[in-house]
Amino acid sequence: MLNKKRLLQLFIFSFMMMGKVVFAHQLDLSNIIISKTNNGKVILQVNSSLSAFQEEINYNYTQGSYKTPEEFQNLVLQHFLSNFSLSINNEENLQFKNPKVFLGHETKLVAEILGLPDTIRVIDIKSEIFKDIYNNQSVVIFMLEGFPKEKYTLDNNNDHEINVIMENGTWENLKPERASFNLGYLFLFFSLILIGFFIYLKVIKPFIKTKYAK
């Protein structure tokens, strides 16, 4: 019969493995922040891990595409300009001035936004910077007067895009999300069934046999 110590080890190992699957996407989080500096400049900032940027650059430009940090930064900027768009009031006249990449464990891409109108009615953001990383999510945070206060998440369910409009004093989402299918939770469900069945075979069933055999 399986002893209590072995059973406890089985439980701990099983939940550790399930935790890795269910919460692994936390490693693939990034955020997009739009804010204003003290001198009135509107700033876009994209934050993620250095490894996330490296994965995208290696996937899209091959591993040998850069040999120095400067070459890597230039590829990140090129990748950003090709895979990020911001439209306000359905106008495509916004520009990103002096975009720069600051390397570190948390790597930042920072640029000044030019051409922001005084009145904001429609906001469209599409970011596919990390689209090739499995189950990636980018959280959009607005820190500007007149912009939505809530956070939005760009992921596979909305094609990495949000499109919101001001209607009757509230922000409405024009791009509803598709229903998601999370393999991690499916794995968790079947793992719990298997663990329960294993405990029944190794613990409960032998106990019942022993009890009624007397």
Side-chain angles (χ1 to χ4, degrees):
M1 183 181 295
L2 196 67
N3 60 42
K4 291 183 179 179
K5 183 177 180 182
R6 177 60 180 163
L7 185 61
L8 179 61
Q9 290 175 341
L10 174 64
F11 267 115
I12 292 174
F13 176 76
S14 299
F15 278 102
M16 284 176 63
M17 293 303 295
M18 286 185 289
K20 286 182 180 180
V21 173
V22 174
F23 299 107
H25 69 273
Q26 297 295 327
L27 298 176
D28 302 319
L29 282 175
S30 59
N31 60 64
I32 299 166
I33 301 173
I34 298 178
S35 60
K36 183 177 287 188
T37 64
N38 293 332
N39 59 5
K41 293 182 179 180
V42 180
I43 300 298
L44 168 72
Q45 184 170 312
V46 180
N47 306 311
S48 190
S49 65
L50 177 59
S51 59
F53 281 100
Q54 286 175 323
E55 278 195 43
E56 278 293 329
I57 298 305
N58 291 340
Y59 180 82
N60 287 278
Y61 300 94
T62 74
Q63 265 189 325
S65 58
Y66 58 91
K67 296 181 180 179
T68 66
E70 291 75 17
E71 291 177 348
F72 176 75
Q73 289 169 312
N74 289 333
L75 287 175
V76 170
L77 291 176
Q78 182 178 330
H79 184 67
F80 161 72
L81 294 173
S82 300
N83 293 279
F84 185 91
S85 64
L86 169 62
S87 172
I88 303 294
N89 299 341
N90 296 320
E91 297 180 6
E92 302 291 341
N93 61 342
L94 296 183
Q95 299 178 3
F96 301 111
K97 180 182 178 181
N98 296 329
K100 296 180 180 179
V101 177
F102 298 91
L103 300 178
H105 181 68
E106 181 186 49
T107 294
K108 305 175 185 291
L109 189 153
V110 180
E112 181 183 355
I113 301 175
L114 302 180
L116 194 70
D118 295 329
T119 303
I120 310 298
R121 294 180 293 101
V122 181
I123 303 171
D124 188 287
I125 294 180
K126 188 174 183 66
S127 176
E128 296 182 309
I129 300 174
F130 304 105
K131 67 178 179 179
D132 302 302
I133 297 177
Y134 173 73
N135 208 27
N136 75 90
Q137 297 180 337
S138 293
V139 179
V140 181
I141 304 171
F142 298 106
M143 302 178 67
L144 291 174
E145 187 69 27
F147 278 70
K149 302 302 181 185
E150 64 180 293
K151 299 177 182 178
Y152 296 90
T153 301
L154 309 180
D155 55 25
N156 292 327
N157 298 321
N158 54 23
D159 299 317
H160 306 95
E161 182 178 15
I162 60 167
N163 187 256
V164 294
I165 185 171
M166 174 65 76
E167 293 280 3
N168 300 319
T170 60
W171 288 97
E172 301 291 339
N173 196 345
L174 298 178
K175 190 176 179 64
E177 292 191 357
R178 300 191 301 268
S180 61
F181 180 75
N182 195 311
L183 290 176
Y185 289 108
L186 182 64
F187 177 82
L188 173 63
F189 174 73
F190 282 109
S191 294
L192 289 174
I193 292 177
L194 289 174
I195 291 173
F197 184 66
F198 182 80
I199 293 173
Y200 171 77
L201 289 178
K202 296 297 184 180
V203 180
I204 299 176
K205 188 176 181 180
F207 174 77
I208 293 174
K209 283 185 176 181
T210 303
K211 182 178 180 179
Y212 287 98
K214 295 179 180 180

